[in-house]
Amino acid sequence: MTSGRVNPNFRLEDQGIAGLGNVSYNLMEPALIEAALKNGEGHLGNGGTFLVSTGKFTGRSPKDKHVVKTASVADSIWWENNAAMSEQGFDVLYEDMLTHMKGKDYYVQDLVGGADPEFAINVRFVSELAWHNLFIRHLMRRPSREALDGYVSDFTVINCPSFQADPARHDCRSETVIAMNFDRKIILIGGTEYAGENKKSVFTLLNYMLPEKGVMPMHCSANHAAGNPVDTAVFFGLSGTGKTTLSADPARTLIGDDEHGWSDTGAFNFEGGCYAKTIGLDPEAEPEIYNTCSMFGTVIENMVYDEETKELDFNDDSLTANMRCAYPLEAIPNASDTAIGGHPKNIIMLTCDAFGVLPPIARLTPAQAMYHFLSGFTAKVAGTERGVTEPQPTFSTCFGAPFMPRRPEAYGNLLREKIATHGATCWLVNTGWTGGAHGVGSRMPIKATRALLTAALDGSLNEATFRKDPNFGFDVPVTVPGVDAGLLDPRSTWEDKDAYDAAAAKLVGMFADNFEQYLPYIDEDVKAATIG
């Protein structure tokens, strides 16, 4: 028994997935919420949101992600970063998962990854949970109802949280598994209810496929000047650096908040929605995102709420600090209709430096940009994890190591070529600490960060006078209108200048130690950019 719109010649049975219970194809938001409520998967929230807990897993499980080692990908996967799975292990996993699924109801969404039709891929999502189907309907791009009549997928993602993998039998690490088979064009997800695994599986696919087509896949947000897609900016950054917040500028048009490609014609969003953190969400600082938390269909994930009124508590992180909301792009008033922009005119690399060493903004040469892109630096602060008593560096290459199937320099070289070809200006922006390390100094003022970004994006910052940073060698503006000049020189903000010098030397050493792994693969000018 089926419901919803679907290509009559492309049902699950045509893919060899048979014996299931009721299969619902391409249900829209109201029907998916009805199904999720009927199944007891969550609760209806204010405005028609859907409130859900993901149970044991409130984040991704990167150590449980595997790539099937087939002959076609054996020489192109970065195996030091991607756990291998044997073809035999995958085949058994697939058959065991299908056996587990028999007789149970499933939900199918036929969706698209990529706003540029030339590089888009069709991805069919088969979900055990109706709310997972709702989530991914928000996050991916939705074909027209008419287009579904002829839809055929390029890849299929099967997500079955109730299935537990057997490491010995399935050649995986634990009962939780994310297995990608590029030859069979299948991704299997089991043992976790965290919905983010769905969208990140597509990001990983595109990260592997697009470089061969000359497209740079990017873990970044993007926007463009209002009415002027040619003036596009991208914002790279790891969690907590301000990627979503700083790109959500009401004076500019939002292209997307997380995953994009850069082709020979410009930048384009991979997704059709946003997956925003809600901890500490401020209705004044981020009204657009805050308002989605009471819009019909928004998925509210792992938030504490009043059982009677369903009022959300944006500051209670007792379930997880990684509480989120998922909604379609059109929920943001200034979102792009096409999710396509021009070639990035400015590239912003965001870092949260808890050591208090880096300046609030610095201009990078193309070689320096590649260096910082490959480094992917941010810092954990004391108190965020048990045992962390002082700032700890985090280096996640390309600002997204868990999603990078190829070696980092493949992406670094491609980014460098794009920068050189299209003349993008690159900036490193520190949203972390000033006046001392975490615990001594204070967080970089958001007002100053926004003023610096505005100056960078409107081109006026290029006219400033710059000094050469003695530690990293990049250019730092001496004065910027509306910004305290003292803030631009981090050493001057420290009372103990010797302590700053020691902290700077320590951080430079951390960068150098981390970057040694890339030295055999990079050009001499990038090697020269590794020191001030």
Side-chain angles (χ1 to χ4, degrees):
M1 183 178 179
T2 62
S3 55
R5 197 152 185 172
V6 64
N7 180 349
N9 300 313
F10 189 66
R11 299 182 183 274
L12 290 183
E13 293 87 343
D14 300 312
Q15 297 179 261
I17 304 174
L20 305 184
N22 183 67
V23 179
S24 299
Y25 291 91
N26 298 307
L27 296 183
M28 298 181 75
E29 291 79 1
L32 287 170
I33 291 175
E34 286 181 347
L37 289 170
K38 181 181 178 181
N39 298 340
E41 297 174 9
H43 299 279
L44 193 66
N46 290 324
T49 59
F50 189 74
L51 311 175
V52 66
S53 168
T54 61
K56 177 182 177 182
F57 293 95
T58 58
R60 291 179 297 99
S61 302
K63 292 182 180 179
D64 294 311
K65 188 173 181 179
H66 301 264
V67 175
V68 180
K69 196 169 187 177
T70 61
S72 67
V73 302
D75 296 331
S76 53
I77 297 293
W78 181 24
W79 294 113
E80 294 87 349
N81 186 61
N82 294 270
M85 175 181 282
S86 66
E87 293 182 74
Q88 180 182 11
F90 181 89
D91 292 344
V92 175
L93 173 65
Y94 180 70
E95 293 302 324
D96 286 353
M97 187 174 282
L98 292 192
T99 299
H100 175 84
M101 293 165 62
K102 288 187 183 298
K104 299 176 182 177
D105 295 345
Y106 276 81
Y107 303 87
V108 175
Q109 286 289 324
D110 292 328
L111 301 168
V112 176
D116 186 334
E118 184 176 353
F119 305 107
I121 59 172
N122 288 348
V123 185
R124 165 167 279 184
F125 292 86
V126 182
S127 310
E128 179 180 23
L129 298 174
W131 82 262
H132 271 197
N133 227 227
L134 174 64
F135 170 93
I136 203 61
R137 179 171 169 80
H138 288 335
L139 267 296
M140 288 294 103
R141 303 192 64 77
R142 297 164 291 281
S144 68
R145 303 302 285 177
E146 294 73 23
L148 292 172
D149 293 340
Y151 181 99
V152 176
S153 68
D154 299 306
F155 281 83
T156 299
V157 178
I158 301 175
N159 192 321
C160 188
S162 66
F163 178 83
Q164 302 290 302
D166 181 340
R169 181 175 171 82
H170 301 133
D171 192 25
C172 56
R173 191 187 74 95
S174 74
E175 293 179 342
T176 299
V177 64
I178 301 98
M180 310 186 69
N181 191 319
F182 287 97
D183 283 14
R184 295 189 62 176
K185 301 185 183 303
I186 297 171
I187 300 172
L188 303 177
I189 303 173
T192 173
E193 291 185 36
Y194 183 67
E197 299 288 9
N198 291 283
K199 71 169 229 137
K200 289 303 184 186
S201 66
V202 178
F203 188 28
T204 305
L205 276 180
L206 291 168
N207 276 354
Y208 182 76
M209 298 168 64
L210 291 181
E212 290 186 340
K213 300 177 180 180
V215 177
M216 173 65 193
M218 304 178 290
H219 185 212
C220 70
S221 58
N223 63 26
H224 66 71
N228 184 14
V230 173
D231 186 1
T232 293
V234 298
F235 301 75
F236 290 100
L238 297 167
S239 180
T241 58
K243 177 162 58 84
T244 298
T245 299
L246 294 171
S247 64
D249 184 342
R252 294 174 65 86
T253 298
L254 179 68
I255 300 173
D257 83 325
D258 198 35
E259 301 166 1
H260 295 78
W262 185 356
S263 72
D264 289 341
T265 58
F268 62 95
N269 194 354
F270 290 168
E271 301 181 288
C274 300
Y275 190 33
K277 280 192 171 185
T278 56
I279 185 168
L281 199 60
D282 188 332
E284 293 186 6
E286 298 176 276
E288 295 85 5
I289 299 173
Y290 184 89
N291 289 339
T292 68
C293 294
S294 57
M295 288 184 182
F296 180 80
T298 295
V299 175
I300 306 291
E301 195 178 77
N302 295 319
M303 287 191 70
V304 174
Y305 56 89
D306 185 282
E307 292 290 340
E308 183 177 1
T309 67
K310 300 298 189 288
E311 182 179 352
L312 300 171
D313 190 332
F314 290 89
N315 297 307
D316 189 337
D317 62 355
S318 56
L319 292 178
T320 177
N322 192 38
M323 52 197 192
R324 291 177 179 263
C325 60
Y327 50 88
L329 267 172
E330 55 262 30
I332 301 297
N334 63 323
S336 167
D337 292 334
T338 64
I340 295 176
H343 294 293
K345 186 176 177 182
N346 287 279
I347 295 173
I348 315 296
M349 297 184 185
L350 299 169
T351 182
C352 178
D353 173 23
F355 296 90
V357 169
L358 295 174
I361 196 166
R363 187 173 59 189
L364 307 176
T365 66
Q368 290 169 339
M370 184 174 178
Y371 173 67
H372 285 278
F373 179 71
L374 291 176
S375 296
F377 167 73
T378 193
K380 297 175 183 177
V381 298
T384 56
E385 293 182 9
R386 189 166 63 179
V388 178
T389 57
E390 64 177 14
Q392 291 188 358
T394 298
F395 294 96
S396 183
T397 188
C398 307
F399 296 98
F403 326 118
M404 300 298 165
R406 297 181 182 272
R407 280 205 55 85
E409 57 273 8
Y411 305 104
N413 286 327
L414 191 52
L415 179 65
R416 187 180 177 191
E417 291 170 9
K418 296 287 187 187
I419 292 170
T421 301
H422 302 290
T425 303
C426 301
W427 306 92
L428 183 70
V429 172
N430 174 26
T431 60
W433 270 256
T434 182
H438 176 265
V440 176
S442 58
R443 194 74 189 258
M444 198 72 69
I446 184 67
K447 184 178 180 180
T449 301
R450 289 193 181 280
L452 291 168
L453 276 175
T454 297
L457 297 182
D458 69 18
S460 62
L461 190 54
N462 277 317
E463 306 304 317
T465 300
F466 288 83
R467 65 176 178 86
K468 190 74 68 177
D469 182 85
N471 299 304
F472 288 92
F474 41 51
D475 291 337
V476 180
V478 176
T479 59
V480 177
V483 178
D484 180 1
L487 198 66
L488 298 171
D489 180 6
R491 188 174 188 271
S492 71
T493 67
W494 285 51
E495 287 189 16
D496 187 338
K497 303 299 189 286
D498 291 338
Y500 172 85
D501 293 338
K506 182 178 180 180
L507 184 59
V508 169
M510 291 175 180
F511 266 85
D513 290 344
N514 171 73
F515 207 77
E516 282 188 3
Q517 62 186 304
Y518 306 121
L519 293 179
Y521 307 100
I522 60 174
D523 297 335
E524 291 302 318
D525 58 341
V526 180
K527 291 180 182 179
T530 62
I531 57 173

